[in-house]
Amino acid sequence: MKIAIIGATGKAGSLIAEEALNRGHEVTAIVRNASKVQNDKLNVLEKEANALTTDDISGFDVLVNAFGTPHAEQHVTVGRHLIDILQAAPHTRLIVVGGAGSLYVDDAQTTRLIDTPDFPDEYKPTASNQGQNLTDLKQSSRIRWTFVSPGAFFDPSGPRTGNYTLAGEKLTVNSEGNSYSSYADYAIAIVDEAEKAAHVGERISVVTEAQYK
């Protein structure tokens, strides 16, 4: 399988790239600065996400958007650009590394995590824009996408246990009652979805255990 990863040198993107390579996939890093790519097994496309064309991405089976930025509004800008160029690339699926802020905390799915009183103000711009990206995807047509939310605590140093719990639109907790995901186990879930295409046109969420049992 040919997999391209936007943001393949970032915290999540690099682990997703490593997981995909270890499973024998052909992986291309789409990055702004090729000199930051440390893994010589990766193919490299040096290009801004907003400058990508349909021709750039149409040869891939899966395009993973692991784009990270301090400019929160770019999640919407890049997301809409990818929706546009994927219109003419029907064989390329999109998997988005999303956030937890847009997950619902109630069964009726009326209240999102970002809308709860204790949600930190400093994370609201990113959470809000990632939520808008999800809305744009749900309103799109003619593209095959999956949006994957981690737990509320997305831990870059957490363990790789090889296990995760898959859920949907509602915030889910692990056996300790925490909404937690390690980057390493989240990467497993992303590549599993790339291989299986089990949740096309859906938002799914991933929680993992905080430590080995």
Side-chain angles (χ1 to χ4, degrees):
M1 181 179 288
K2 294 183 177 180
I3 300 174
I5 303 172
I6 299 170
T9 57
K11 292 178 181 178
S14 60
L15 288 176
I16 295 166
E18 182 179 348
E19 181 70 28
L21 284 171
N22 287 342
R23 299 195 199 184
H25 298 296
E26 181 180 337
V27 184
T28 297
I30 300 177
V31 293
R32 288 175 290 180
N33 186 348
S35 68
K36 292 185 177 181
V37 178
Q38 301 296 313
N39 192 328
D40 59 10
K41 294 180 182 179
L42 289 169
N43 300 319
V44 180
L45 173 58
E46 187 178 55
K47 205 163 190 179
E48 293 277 355
N50 277 328
L52 291 170
T53 66
T54 297
D55 286 343
D56 288 327
I57 55 93
S58 60
F60 298 112
D61 299 296
V62 174
L63 175 64
V64 177
N65 179 11
F67 176 78
T69 176
H71 305 291
E73 70 280 357
Q74 288 295 309
H75 288 288
V76 174
T77 304
V78 168
R80 288 175 177 171
H81 179 69
L82 296 181
I83 289 171
D84 286 343
I85 64 175
L86 283 163
Q87 299 293 315
H91 301 295
T92 303
R93 286 188 290 120
L94 174 67
I95 299 178
V96 178
V97 174
S102 58
L103 288 167
Y104 293 99
V105 298
D106 59 331
D107 290 334
Q109 296 188 4
T110 58
T111 304
R112 301 173 303 166
L113 182 62
I114 191 177
D115 301 319
T116 58
D118 294 332
F119 193 88
D121 288 341
E122 61 267 31
Y123 298 137
K124 285 182 178 179
T126 295
S128 177
N129 281 276
Q130 288 181 324
Q132 182 60 54
N133 182 203
L134 175 60
T135 297
D136 290 341
L137 288 166
K138 288 181 175 180
Q139 293 174 347
S140 69
S141 60
R142 302 196 306 278
I143 72 167
R144 297 186 296 158
W145 60 271
T146 306
F147 188 100
V148 187
S149 290
F153 179 19
F154 198 14
D155 185 3
S157 60
R160 184 188 192 280
T161 69
N163 297 302
Y164 60 86
T165 299
L166 200 64
E169 294 274 359
K170 188 180 176 185
L171 187 77
T172 304
V173 298
N174 60 19
S175 64
E176 296 177 336
N178 297 317
S179 176
Y180 172 93
S181 299
S182 71
Y183 276 61
D185 281 340
Y186 177 88
I188 295 173
I190 291 286
V191 181
D192 282 350
E193 179 60 27
E195 293 177 342
K196 298 173 183 176
H199 301 92
V200 176
E202 299 177 26
R203 186 257 287 278
I204 56 176
S205 51
V206 175
V207 294
T208 70
E209 298 302 319
Q211 56 188 339
Y212 293 104
K213 298 296 184 182

